[in-house]
Amino acid sequence: MSAGRKRTFDKSDALDKAMRVFWEHGYAGTSVSDLTEVLGINKPSLYSAFGNKEQLFATALEHYMSHYGAPLLERLTQPTDIPFADRVRAYMLGIIDLINSDDSPKGCLFVKSCCEAGSSAMPDDVSLSLQEMRQVNAQLLTKAVQAEQKRGLLLQAAKPRDIAEYLLSVLYGLSVLARQGKSRKELVRIVNVAITALPMSQA
């Protein structure tokens, strides 16, 4: 009787599992032992596949941003034939669905990681990478706001960068509140208030 086929290691699946461990416990709260236990591999195999904990976290964060963050950001610009306020609402509601889902850890991995940035537990390279990612998000939001202002849909006196920072602040707050157990209904009410604060043109 021949031996059964050896189970292959699915690196993509392992990365997703590792991402969820960091998402749940944060960088400092996740040990290499936690990762090997969830992935079902030993430390040498982990290091061979992903490098050290810092490198795995960086890869997991990129995976999170590309699979969850990027698709949601598209809601800010598409479709162009609906009002900007409606697109912002769709974007924020998508964020709520992500951070308040029963199928994933509460809150946002990126926001949770940003809260750890600068601490002694977070490597300097990772903290710097998080700062750069935040700047990219702020720039994308700023460009989206600028585009609407050029179309005459936002007051000309409004400052796009300030609006972008305001929206980011709301999103960060939503993530924290979701981890604290706020319901979807409560989070949606906050989004509705935030939308009414946008300096929309009456023209």
Side-chain angles (χ1 to χ4, degrees), residues 83-84 148-156 199-203:
F84 180 60
E148 297 307 307
Q149 195 172 48
K150 289 179 180 178
R151 296 172 62 191
L153 302 179
L154 287 173
L155 295 178
Q156 292 302 307
M200 305 303 297
S201 173
Q202 299 301 314

Side-chain angles (χ1 to χ4, degrees), residues 3 11 13 39 41 58 64 75 82 94 103 115 124 126-127 129 138 141 146 151 155 172-173 178 181 193:
K11 190 172 181 179
D13 179 65
L39 301 186
I41 58 177
Y64 177 85
R75 297 187 181 188
I82 67 173
D103 298 326
C115 291
D124 291 340
V126 177
S127 293
S129 178
L141 279 168
Q146 288 173 333
R151 296 172 62 191
L155 295 178
Y172 279 38
V193 172

